[in-house]
């Protein structure tokens, strides 16, 4: 398509902004009635009758009047005769107007979850005493009626309605007055549904569906995703000048638009932490601009995923029944590609204005009805982004030739300062762009924009810092693979609670066919397989066409849409092909088809709403962890640990550079300040707990002089005359979050706080991911280093550790014991290293029912044993945690931890030893025991020196023990611990065991070597 055609598409989208954003708002609101607590009470059996579709009837002025402006003569899209149809018929059969797209979007976002007929899923209901909102990993988050969130408090719904009214009025006003002003629209949208938006906040705290186990997706997830899909579908219809409005619900598809920037290049080139923080800020700012472009300016889609390098948006797709000649009113591939190019041009303009050294990427997926392909596209994007110049790109503001190349970006020429005395000082200067990036984050800091940005403030009493990197294996969940292990129902329970099946869809009750459930209650699983296979074989004689005059009662009661299907092939395409990575119908025989149909009918689905929720949950996990880390790092007996001071120099304040840092020593302690020309004073940017005692007053610094050096390498004296509290930035938490994406969280903390931070993360992970402990590993990388270690070495080391951890392969652990008590199953497992590990898996719901939805593990077996066991069509067997027996082999994706101490920067190339994460707890316990039992630090050092010496002597060059030495060394360890430290009894057994496993050595290295921990003598 030609360039003018591309521009025309962009223009058309901008001209339709009001309509598209109105559609999105309708999408957010279409289920607003569910935000009323009576919705929960009604389904909780409280005898309250509540119709969630009636909420808009109390709006004054009415919904239809408030949106009447949509019926403008220039609007080319068919609207329903009553605008209330958006709110009343979103879950009905397809309408031939705009409502049809909302129906399609609603079905994609939540309809596929609710295709359970209500009559046969009654037993899955929650009652008013236990109306839980759960995490997507089964962790009960809140009992919504017993402990209501603010959004469900008395009167909250009425004020919600008021705000909704205002939202609609503002929408109308914007449509009339500010249609062309994208910024006004952006503010309107962000206020409602941005990170702190009121509508988002309210809908996040309650449910769209009360039945188990769909109580894991909030009203927000469903509404937001439906709105995003609705908006994109309408945008597609406008661009394609859609004239065919039939079967929208069944035929509409979407694409995914991915936009990325290779942020890891900026990270790898950062010399100082400020370079990375500055680049990260710019990249985040750029991502926000892109979001604004796609979501508001063009209003063509909405964000459904974001990480450190990529953004994914909904985008109009090609209809399912389109042919190469006829797109049937949807956006064909040529036009989609033209629009992608036009968007690319816009995106690149933003990247140029941010002066990025590398080009952004704009990718479009094929048309789809599920988002499970999103992960493949993100991987593809990351691969392309791994090449810095994956397409031609002129580096903005290249700068005049001559001088040195900038030490950060390595592409522009730098700008030496006039003060620079040595060639080395000149070489280290950065270019204008990199200098601006450093400055940009300083500006934010002066305005108290969050945490500290100074490593010198993070450093602990020994001048040491830890970079903690945590990752969750979230991609495997978003791609749907791990969701295979989650159930929406147990086959056994479904049969048990539905002994009789009927034609619930026949209105006249007296005419309904009612029969006993034909599945054998004793072997339901086999019986169901046999049944579905029979249905398939029978239909095979008529090319899989279905005669629905007599609907199969089993399938008709398992899936609401089944009775309307005209062929099993079509049913298969919707239930299986559309929602999984299954082979196509044509590649399978009837037996395999039956297996797939059954698997899909009983599993939880990676629906768009749930995929979106996976993303958000992983981010929330890290956000909450950061809050805890702030508290941990800020808790210090010396209040100066978290304070800053403003120092006024005596005499002439000239000769200091604005916003430059100056470092020296105050007594024994490292001391660092930043000069601000506007106030002619210095702000401390170091750990003041090392300079001042807890009870000392700030004025004790006045009158003192410090020798300091700046970046120019010159030494000079800072005489402190007066001391104040600085404005806005007087206090801080000594943590620096470096990165927070759904996959990974990196943060700098004082090394002395690192163990507690790690233990906190482990506890939180165990609590929230206990049901999926085997499939959602928490991987932890720890880089500990002295404050002055170059940032590049630290970050490279972190990346090496992370890469090692990513390589972690699944392992088979053997069950040693399995005991269930009070709703918790305690599994004792024998790991690959022969050590025992105990895992606590919650296997009951808060209301006491068995949790048959989440706690399944993959087992080595190919045979089904327990009634709750189930088999994936690829033959993998999943078993309920409480049904495991001694000897069962469980496939585990282990949580591991790797740590390194960068006492020399060369260490970053060494392969660090990796441990099971639970061993970190064992290591800490071992230290506690040592600290309690050893008579003194000196005695412990002496004892360990003896053991270490023998250990070195008795090992080969490759690190292995010489023959028989290993047992002898352990005996020696026992003797030394007993004789030199006086340890006996159980403590001696424990410590000898720890010596055997290497845990003792780890405990001593970590606490004596890294933490420089003392001991009470
Ligand atoms: Zn540069």
């Amino acid at each position: 398509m030609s360039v003018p055609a591309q521009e025309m598409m962009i223009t058309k989208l901008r001209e339709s902004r009001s309509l598209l954003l109105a559609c999105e708002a309708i999408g957010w609101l279409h289920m607003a009635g569910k935000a009323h607590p009576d919705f929960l009470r009604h389904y909780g059996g409280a005898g309250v009758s509540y119709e969630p579709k009636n909420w808009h009837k109390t709006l004054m002025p009415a919904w239809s009047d408030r949106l009447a402006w949509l019926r403008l003569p220039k609007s080319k899209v068919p609207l329903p005769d009553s605008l209330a149809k958006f709110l009343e018929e979103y879950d009905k059969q397809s309408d031939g107007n705009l409502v049809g797209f909302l129906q399609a979007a609603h079905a994609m976002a939540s309809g596929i979850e609710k295709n359970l007929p209500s009559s046969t899923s009654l037993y899955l209901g929650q009652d008013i005493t236990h109306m839980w909102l759960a995490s997507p990993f089964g962790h009960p988050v809140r009992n919504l009626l017993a402990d209501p969130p603010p959004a469900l408090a008395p009167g909250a719904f009425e004020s919600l309605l008021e705000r909704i009214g205002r939202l609609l009025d503002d929408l109308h006003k914007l449509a009339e007055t500010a249609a062309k002003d994208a910024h006004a629209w952006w503010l309107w949208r962000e206020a409602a549904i941005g990170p702190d938006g009121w509508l988002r906040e309210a809908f996040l705290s309650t449910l769209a569906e009360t039945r188990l186990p769909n109580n894991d997706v909030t009203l927000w997830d469903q509404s937001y995703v439906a709105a995003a899909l609705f908006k994109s579908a309408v945008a597609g219809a406008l661009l394609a000048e859609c004239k065919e409005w039939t079967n929208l619900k069944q035929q509409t598809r979407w694409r995914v638009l991915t936009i990325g920037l290779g942020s890891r290049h900026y990270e790898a080139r950062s010399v100082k932490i400020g370079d990375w923080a500055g680049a990260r800020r710019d990249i985040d700012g750029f991502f926000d601009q892109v979001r604004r472009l796609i979501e508001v300016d063009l209003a063509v889609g909405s964000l459904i995923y974001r990480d450190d390098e990529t953004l994914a948006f909904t985008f109009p797709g090609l209809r399912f029944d389109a042919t190469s000649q006829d797109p049937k009113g949807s956006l064909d591939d040529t036009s989609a590609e033209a629009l992608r190019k036009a968007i690319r041009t816009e995106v690149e303009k933003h990247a140029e204005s941010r002066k990025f050294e590398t080009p952004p990427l704009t990718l479009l997926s094929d048309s789809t009805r599920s988002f499970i392909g999103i992960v493949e596209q993100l991987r593809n994007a990351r691969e392309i982004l791994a090449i810095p110049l994956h397409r031609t790109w002129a580096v903005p503001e290249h700068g005049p030739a001559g001088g040195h190349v900038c030490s950060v970006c390595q592409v522009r020429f730098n700008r030496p300062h006039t003060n620079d005395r040595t060639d080395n000082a000149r070489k280290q200067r950065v270019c204008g762009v990199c200098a601006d990036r450093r400055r940009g984050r300083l500006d934010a800091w002066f305005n108290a924009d969050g945490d500290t940005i100074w490593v010198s403030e993070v450093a602990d009493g020994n001048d040491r810092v830890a970079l903690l990197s945590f990752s969750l294996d979230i991609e495997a969940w978003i791609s749907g693979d791990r969701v295979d292990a989650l159930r929406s129902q147990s086959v056994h329970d479904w049969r048990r609670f539905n002994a009789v099946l009927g034609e619930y869809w026949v209105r006249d009750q007296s005419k309904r066919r009612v029969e006993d459930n034909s599945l054998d209650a004793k072997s339901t699983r086999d019986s169901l397989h046999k049944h579905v296979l029979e249905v398939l074989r029978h239909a095979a004689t008529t090319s899989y066409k279905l005669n629905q005059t007599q609907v199969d009662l089993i399938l008709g009661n398992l899936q609401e849409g089944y009775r309307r299907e005209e062929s099993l092939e079509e049913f298969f395409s919707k239930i299986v092909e559309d929602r999984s990575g299954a082979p196509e119908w044509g590649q399978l025989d009837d037996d395999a088809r039956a297996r797939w149909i059954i698997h899909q009918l009983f599993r939880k689905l990676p629906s768009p709403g749930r995929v979106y929720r996976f993303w958000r949950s992983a981010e929330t996990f890290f956000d909450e962890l950061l809050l805890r880390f702030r508290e941990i790092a800020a808790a210090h007996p010396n209040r100066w640990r978290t304070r800053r001071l403003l120092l006024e120099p005596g005499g002439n304040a000239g000769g200091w550079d604005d916003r430059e840092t100056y470092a020296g020593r105050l007594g024994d302690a490292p001391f660092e300040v930043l000069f601000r020309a506007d106030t002619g004073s210095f702000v401390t940017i170091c750990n003041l707990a090392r300079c001042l005692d807890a009870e000392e007053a700030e004025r004790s610094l006045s009158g003192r002089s410090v020798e300091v050096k700046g970046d120019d390498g010159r030494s000079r004296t800072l005489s402190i005359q007066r001391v104040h509290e600085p404005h806005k930035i007087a206090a801080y938490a000594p943590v620096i979050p470096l990165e927070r994406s759904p996959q990974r969280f990196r943060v700098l903390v004082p090394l002395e706080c690192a163990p507690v931070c790690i233990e906190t993360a482990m506890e939180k992970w165990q609590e929230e991911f206990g049901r999926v402990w085997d499939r959602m590993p928490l991987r932890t990388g720890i880089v500990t280093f002295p404050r002055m270690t170059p940032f590049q070495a630290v970050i490279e080391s972190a990346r090496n550790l992370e890469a090692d951890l990513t390589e972690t392969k699944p392992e088979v652990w053997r069950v040693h014991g399995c005991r269930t008590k009070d709703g918790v199953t305690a599994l004792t497992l024998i790991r690959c290293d022969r050590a025992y590990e105990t895992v606590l898996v919650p296997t009951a719901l808060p209301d006491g029912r068995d949790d048959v939805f989440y706690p399944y593990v993959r087992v080595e077996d190919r045979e089904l044993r327990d009634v709750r066991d189930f088999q994936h069509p690829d033959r993998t067997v999943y078993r309920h945690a409480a049904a495991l027996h001694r000897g069962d082999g469980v496939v585990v994706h282990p949580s591991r931890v790797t740590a390194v101490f960068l006492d020399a920067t060369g260490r970053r190339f060494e392969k660090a030893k990796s441990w099971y994460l639970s061993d970190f707890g064992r290591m800490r316990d071992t230290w506690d025991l040592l600290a309690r039992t050893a008579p003194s630090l000196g005695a412990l050092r002496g004892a360990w020196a003896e053991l270490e010496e023998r250990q070195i002597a008795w090992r080969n060059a490759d690190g292995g023990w010489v023959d028989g030495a290993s047992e002898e060394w352990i005996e020696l360890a026992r003797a030394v611990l007993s004789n030199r430290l006086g340890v006996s009894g159980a403590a001696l057994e424990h410590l000898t065991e720890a010596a055997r496993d290497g845990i003792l050595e780890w405990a001593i290295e970590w606490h004596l070597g890294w933490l420089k921990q003392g001991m009470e003598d």
Side-chain angles (χ1 to χ4, degrees), residues 480-500:
D481 295 353
R482 303 263 163 91
V483 191
D484 278 336
L486 303 183
R487 305 252 88 188
S488 64
Q489 292 191 80
S490 128
V491 180
H492 180 74
D493 286 358
W494 180 78
R495 167 68 183 81
R496 193 153 63 95
F497 288 102
N498 292 290
V500 175

PDB file of all heavy atoms in Angstrom, residues 480-500:
ATOM      1  N   GLY A 480       0.608 -20.653  28.068  1.00  0.00           N
ATOM      2  CA  GLY A 480      -0.422 -21.654  28.292  1.00  0.00           C
ATOM      3  C   GLY A 480       0.117 -23.017  28.702  1.00  0.00           C
ATOM      4  O   GLY A 480      -0.637 -23.849  29.199  1.00  0.00           O
ATOM      5  N   ASP A 481       1.422 -23.261  28.514  1.00  0.00           N
ATOM      6  CA  ASP A 481       1.976 -24.598  28.798  1.00  0.00           C
ATOM      7  C   ASP A 481       1.686 -25.062  30.222  1.00  0.00           C
ATOM      8  O   ASP A 481       1.186 -26.157  30.454  1.00  0.00           O
ATOM      9  CB  ASP A 481       3.497 -24.618  28.601  1.00  0.00           C
ATOM     10  CG  ASP A 481       3.863 -24.375  27.146  1.00  0.00           C
ATOM     11  OD1 ASP A 481       2.926 -24.333  26.316  1.00  0.00           O
ATOM     12  OD2 ASP A 481       5.068 -24.209  26.848  1.00  0.00           O
ATOM     13  N   ARG A 482       2.023 -24.203  31.183  1.00  0.00           N
ATOM     14  CA  ARG A 482       1.883 -24.622  32.585  1.00  0.00           C
ATOM     15  C   ARG A 482       0.425 -24.653  33.020  1.00  0.00           C
ATOM     16  O   ARG A 482       0.090 -25.295  34.003  1.00  0.00           O
ATOM     17  CB  ARG A 482       2.691 -23.692  33.496  1.00  0.00           C
ATOM     18  CG  ARG A 482       4.158 -23.614  33.165  1.00  0.00           C
ATOM     19  CD  ARG A 482       5.002 -24.537  34.023  1.00  0.00           C
ATOM     20  NE  ARG A 482       6.313 -24.735  33.432  1.00  0.00           N
ATOM     21  CZ  ARG A 482       7.385 -23.990  33.695  1.00  0.00           C
ATOM     22  NH1 ARG A 482       7.304 -23.025  34.557  1.00  0.00           N
ATOM     23  NH2 ARG A 482       8.539 -24.243  33.105  1.00  0.00           N
ATOM     24  N   VAL A 483      -0.419 -23.925  32.286  1.00  0.00           N
ATOM     25  CA  VAL A 483      -1.840 -23.899  32.655  1.00  0.00           C
ATOM     26  C   VAL A 483      -2.463 -25.277  32.425  1.00  0.00           C
ATOM     27  O   VAL A 483      -3.517 -25.596  32.967  1.00  0.00           O
ATOM     28  CB  VAL A 483      -2.581 -22.800  31.849  1.00  0.00           C
ATOM     29  CG1 VAL A 483      -3.969 -22.568  32.405  1.00  0.00           C
ATOM     30  CG2 VAL A 483      -1.797 -21.506  31.859  1.00  0.00           C
ATOM     31  N   ASP A 484      -1.787 -26.115  31.632  1.00  0.00           N
ATOM     32  CA  ASP A 484      -2.250 -27.487  31.414  1.00  0.00           C
ATOM     33  C   ASP A 484      -2.503 -28.214  32.727  1.00  0.00           C
ATOM     34  O   ASP A 484      -3.305 -29.142  32.782  1.00  0.00           O
ATOM     35  CB  ASP A 484      -1.178 -28.288  30.651  1.00  0.00           C
ATOM     36  CG  ASP A 484      -1.260 -28.030  29.158  1.00  0.00           C
ATOM     37  OD1 ASP A 484      -2.348 -27.639  28.688  1.00  0.00           O
ATOM     38  OD2 ASP A 484      -0.240 -28.230  28.472  1.00  0.00           O
ATOM     39  N   ALA A 485      -1.766 -27.824  33.761  1.00  0.00           N
ATOM     40  CA  ALA A 485      -1.859 -28.551  35.021  1.00  0.00           C
ATOM     41  C   ALA A 485      -2.993 -28.054  35.914  1.00  0.00           C
ATOM     42  O   ALA A 485      -3.210 -28.587  36.994  1.00  0.00           O
ATOM     43  CB  ALA A 485      -0.533 -28.436  35.770  1.00  0.00           C
ATOM     44  N   LEU A 486      -3.702 -27.011  35.491  1.00  0.00           N
ATOM     45  CA  LEU A 486      -4.796 -26.483  36.318  1.00  0.00           C
ATOM     46  C   LEU A 486      -6.134 -26.984  35.786  1.00  0.00           C
ATOM     47  O   LEU A 486      -6.344 -27.072  34.585  1.00  0.00           O
ATOM     48  CB  LEU A 486      -4.789 -24.947  36.301  1.00  0.00           C
ATOM     49  CG  LEU A 486      -3.511 -24.246  36.747  1.00  0.00           C
ATOM     50  CD1 LEU A 486      -3.728 -22.739  36.737  1.00  0.00           C
ATOM     51  CD2 LEU A 486      -3.073 -24.695  38.127  1.00  0.00           C
ATOM     52  N   ARG A 487      -7.041 -27.300  36.698  1.00  0.00           N
ATOM     53  CA  ARG A 487      -8.343 -27.838  36.309  1.00  0.00           C
ATOM     54  C   ARG A 487      -9.458 -26.835  36.572  1.00  0.00           C
ATOM     55  O   ARG A 487      -9.425 -26.117  37.561  1.00  0.00           O
ATOM     56  CB  ARG A 487      -8.643 -29.095  37.131  1.00  0.00           C
ATOM     57  CG  ARG A 487      -7.588 -30.154  37.061  1.00  0.00           C
ATOM     58  CD  ARG A 487      -8.066 -31.320  36.236  1.00  0.00           C
ATOM     59  NE  ARG A 487      -7.794 -31.162  34.825  1.00  0.00           N
ATOM     60  CZ  ARG A 487      -8.245 -31.970  33.872  1.00  0.00           C
ATOM     61  NH1 ARG A 487      -9.047 -32.968  34.189  1.00  0.00           N
ATOM     62  NH2 ARG A 487      -7.943 -31.780  32.617  1.00  0.00           N
ATOM     63  N   SER A 488     -10.445 -26.852  35.679  1.00  0.00           N
ATOM     64  CA  SER A 488     -11.623 -26.033  35.947  1.00  0.00           C
ATOM     65  C   SER A 488     -12.668 -26.879  36.686  1.00  0.00           C
ATOM     66  O   SER A 488     -13.549 -26.350  37.360  1.00  0.00           O
ATOM     67  CB  SER A 488     -12.199 -25.483  34.657  1.00  0.00           C
ATOM     68  OG  SER A 488     -12.650 -26.544  33.851  1.00  0.00           O
ATOM     69  N   GLN A 489     -12.588 -28.180  36.542  1.00  0.00           N
ATOM     70  CA  GLN A 489     -13.459 -29.110  37.273  1.00  0.00           C
ATOM     71  C   GLN A 489     -12.712 -30.440  37.370  1.00  0.00           C
ATOM     72  O   GLN A 489     -11.848 -30.713  36.567  1.00  0.00           O
ATOM     73  CB  GLN A 489     -14.749 -29.400  36.508  1.00  0.00           C
ATOM     74  CG  GLN A 489     -15.706 -28.273  36.370  1.00  0.00           C
ATOM     75  CD  GLN A 489     -17.057 -28.762  35.841  1.00  0.00           C
ATOM     76  OE1 GLN A 489     -17.874 -29.283  36.561  1.00  0.00           O
ATOM     77  NE2 GLN A 489     -17.245 -28.593  34.557  1.00  0.00           N
ATOM     78  N   SER A 490     -13.146 -31.245  38.317  1.00  0.00           N
ATOM     79  CA  SER A 490     -12.659 -32.618  38.332  1.00  0.00           C
ATOM     80  C   SER A 490     -13.750 -33.463  37.666  1.00  0.00           C
ATOM     81  O   SER A 490     -14.931 -33.281  37.927  1.00  0.00           O
ATOM     82  CB  SER A 490     -12.398 -33.041  39.783  1.00  0.00           C
ATOM     83  OG  SER A 490     -13.049 -34.249  40.074  1.00  0.00           O
ATOM     84  N   VAL A 491     -13.342 -34.353  36.782  1.00  0.00           N
ATOM     85  CA  VAL A 491     -14.312 -35.192  36.061  1.00  0.00           C
ATOM     86  C   VAL A 491     -15.161 -35.970  37.061  1.00  0.00           C
ATOM     87  O   VAL A 491     -16.377 -36.084  36.950  1.00  0.00           O
ATOM     88  CB  VAL A 491     -13.563 -36.184  35.135  1.00  0.00           C
ATOM     89  CG1 VAL A 491     -14.563 -37.061  34.391  1.00  0.00           C
ATOM     90  CG2 VAL A 491     -12.670 -35.440  34.159  1.00  0.00           C
ATOM     91  N   HIS A 492     -14.476 -36.463  38.069  1.00  0.00           N
ATOM     92  CA  HIS A 492     -15.113 -37.262  39.098  1.00  0.00           C
ATOM     93  C   HIS A 492     -16.210 -36.451  39.815  1.00  0.00           C
ATOM     94  O   HIS A 492     -17.336 -36.908  39.979  1.00  0.00           O
ATOM     95  CB  HIS A 492     -14.042 -37.724  40.082  1.00  0.00           C
ATOM     96  CG  HIS A 492     -14.581 -38.562  41.187  1.00  0.00           C
ATOM     97  ND1 HIS A 492     -14.975 -39.859  41.001  1.00  0.00           N
ATOM     98  CD2 HIS A 492     -14.794 -38.263  42.492  1.00  0.00           C
ATOM     99  CE1 HIS A 492     -15.409 -40.342  42.154  1.00  0.00           C
ATOM    100  NE2 HIS A 492     -15.309 -39.396  43.066  1.00  0.00           N
ATOM    101  N   ASP A 493     -15.854 -35.215  40.229  1.00  0.00           N
ATOM    102  CA  ASP A 493     -16.820 -34.383  40.944  1.00  0.00           C
ATOM    103  C   ASP A 493     -17.995 -33.996  40.048  1.00  0.00           C
ATOM    104  O   ASP A 493     -19.135 -33.940  40.495  1.00  0.00           O
ATOM    105  CB  ASP A 493     -16.140 -33.110  41.480  1.00  0.00           C
ATOM    106  CG  ASP A 493     -15.264 -33.402  42.682  1.00  0.00           C
ATOM    107  OD1 ASP A 493     -15.233 -34.585  43.105  1.00  0.00           O
ATOM    108  OD2 ASP A 493     -14.604 -32.474  43.191  1.00  0.00           O
ATOM    109  N   TRP A 494     -17.693 -33.716  38.806  1.00  0.00           N
ATOM    110  CA  TRP A 494     -18.773 -33.321  37.892  1.00  0.00           C
ATOM    111  C   TRP A 494     -19.818 -34.438  37.816  1.00  0.00           C
ATOM    112  O   TRP A 494     -21.013 -34.199  37.906  1.00  0.00           O
ATOM    113  CB  TRP A 494     -18.212 -33.031  36.499  1.00  0.00           C
ATOM    114  CG  TRP A 494     -19.291 -32.625  35.530  1.00  0.00           C
ATOM    115  CD1 TRP A 494     -19.878 -31.408  35.452  1.00  0.00           C
ATOM    116  CD2 TRP A 494     -19.934 -33.457  34.551  1.00  0.00           C
ATOM    117  NE1 TRP A 494     -20.848 -31.419  34.469  1.00  0.00           N
ATOM    118  CE2 TRP A 494     -20.906 -32.654  33.904  1.00  0.00           C
ATOM    119  CE3 TRP A 494     -19.781 -34.792  34.160  1.00  0.00           C
ATOM    120  CZ2 TRP A 494     -21.716 -33.146  32.888  1.00  0.00           C
ATOM    121  CZ3 TRP A 494     -20.593 -35.276  33.144  1.00  0.00           C
ATOM    122  CH2 TRP A 494     -21.548 -34.464  32.512  1.00  0.00           C
ATOM    123  N   ARG A 495     -19.340 -35.648  37.702  1.00  0.00           N
ATOM    124  CA  ARG A 495     -20.254 -36.800  37.634  1.00  0.00           C
ATOM    125  C   ARG A 495     -21.010 -36.966  38.954  1.00  0.00           C
ATOM    126  O   ARG A 495     -22.210 -37.191  38.982  1.00  0.00           O
ATOM    127  CB  ARG A 495     -19.441 -38.060  37.300  1.00  0.00           C
ATOM    128  CG  ARG A 495     -20.174 -39.384  37.484  1.00  0.00           C
ATOM    129  CD  ARG A 495     -21.300 -39.540  36.454  1.00  0.00           C
ATOM    130  NE  ARG A 495     -22.060 -40.770  36.652  1.00  0.00           N
ATOM    131  CZ  ARG A 495     -23.040 -40.916  37.567  1.00  0.00           C
ATOM    132  NH1 ARG A 495     -23.368 -39.923  38.378  1.00  0.00           N
ATOM    133  NH2 ARG A 495     -23.690 -42.069  37.657  1.00  0.00           N
ATOM    134  N   ARG A 496     -20.272 -36.810  40.051  1.00  0.00           N
ATOM    135  CA  ARG A 496     -20.853 -37.016  41.374  1.00  0.00           C
ATOM    136  C   ARG A 496     -21.996 -36.025  41.635  1.00  0.00           C
ATOM    137  O   ARG A 496     -23.028 -36.378  42.183  1.00  0.00           O
ATOM    138  CB  ARG A 496     -19.761 -36.821  42.428  1.00  0.00           C
ATOM    139  CG  ARG A 496     -20.104 -37.295  43.811  1.00  0.00           C
ATOM    140  CD  ARG A 496     -18.833 -37.676  44.568  1.00  0.00           C
ATOM    141  NE  ARG A 496     -17.956 -36.530  44.768  1.00  0.00           N
ATOM    142  CZ  ARG A 496     -17.953 -35.787  45.875  1.00  0.00           C
ATOM    143  NH1 ARG A 496     -18.784 -36.038  46.859  1.00  0.00           N
ATOM    144  NH2 ARG A 496     -17.110 -34.782  46.000  1.00  0.00           N
ATOM    145  N   PHE A 497     -21.804 -34.780  41.235  1.00  0.00           N
ATOM    146  CA  PHE A 497     -22.810 -33.757  41.515  1.00  0.00           C
ATOM    147  C   PHE A 497     -23.881 -33.654  40.426  1.00  0.00           C
ATOM    148  O   PHE A 497     -24.794 -32.862  40.535  1.00  0.00           O
ATOM    149  CB  PHE A 497     -22.143 -32.397  41.723  1.00  0.00           C
ATOM    150  CG  PHE A 497     -21.409 -32.301  43.019  1.00  0.00           C
ATOM    151  CD1 PHE A 497     -20.023 -32.415  43.069  1.00  0.00           C
ATOM    152  CD2 PHE A 497     -22.114 -32.128  44.208  1.00  0.00           C
ATOM    153  CE1 PHE A 497     -19.350 -32.340  44.274  1.00  0.00           C
ATOM    154  CE2 PHE A 497     -21.440 -32.051  45.422  1.00  0.00           C
ATOM    155  CZ  PHE A 497     -20.057 -32.164  45.456  1.00  0.00           C
ATOM    156  N   ASN A 498     -23.717 -34.433  39.355  1.00  0.00           N
ATOM    157  CA  ASN A 498     -24.690 -34.402  38.275  1.00  0.00           C
ATOM    158  C   ASN A 498     -25.118 -35.812  37.894  1.00  0.00           C
ATOM    159  O   ASN A 498     -24.838 -36.290  36.799  1.00  0.00           O
ATOM    160  CB  ASN A 498     -24.104 -33.663  37.060  1.00  0.00           C
ATOM    161  CG  ASN A 498     -23.901 -32.177  37.328  1.00  0.00           C
ATOM    162  OD1 ASN A 498     -24.857 -31.419  37.448  1.00  0.00           O
ATOM    163  ND2 ASN A 498     -22.648 -31.781  37.477  1.00  0.00           N
ATOM    164  N   ALA A 499     -25.794 -36.455  38.830  1.00  0.00           N
ATOM    165  CA  ALA A 499     -26.215 -37.836  38.604  1.00  0.00           C
ATOM    166  C   ALA A 499     -27.300 -37.900  37.535  1.00  0.00           C
ATOM    167  O   ALA A 499     -27.497 -38.920  36.883  1.00  0.00           O
ATOM    168  CB  ALA A 499     -26.722 -38.443  39.905  1.00  0.00           C
ATOM    169  N   VAL A 500     -27.993 -36.787  37.364  1.00  0.00           N
ATOM    170  CA  VAL A 500     -29.063 -36.729  36.376  1.00  0.00           C
ATOM    171  C   VAL A 500     -28.799 -35.567  35.441  1.00  0.00           C
ATOM    172  O   VAL A 500     -28.392 -34.489  35.881  1.00  0.00           O
ATOM    173  CB  VAL A 500     -30.423 -36.521  37.092  1.00  0.00           C
ATOM    174  CG1 VAL A 500     -31.548 -36.331  36.082  1.00  0.00           C
ATOM    175  CG2 VAL A 500     -30.716 -37.688  38.014  1.00  0.00           C
TER     176      VAL A 500
END
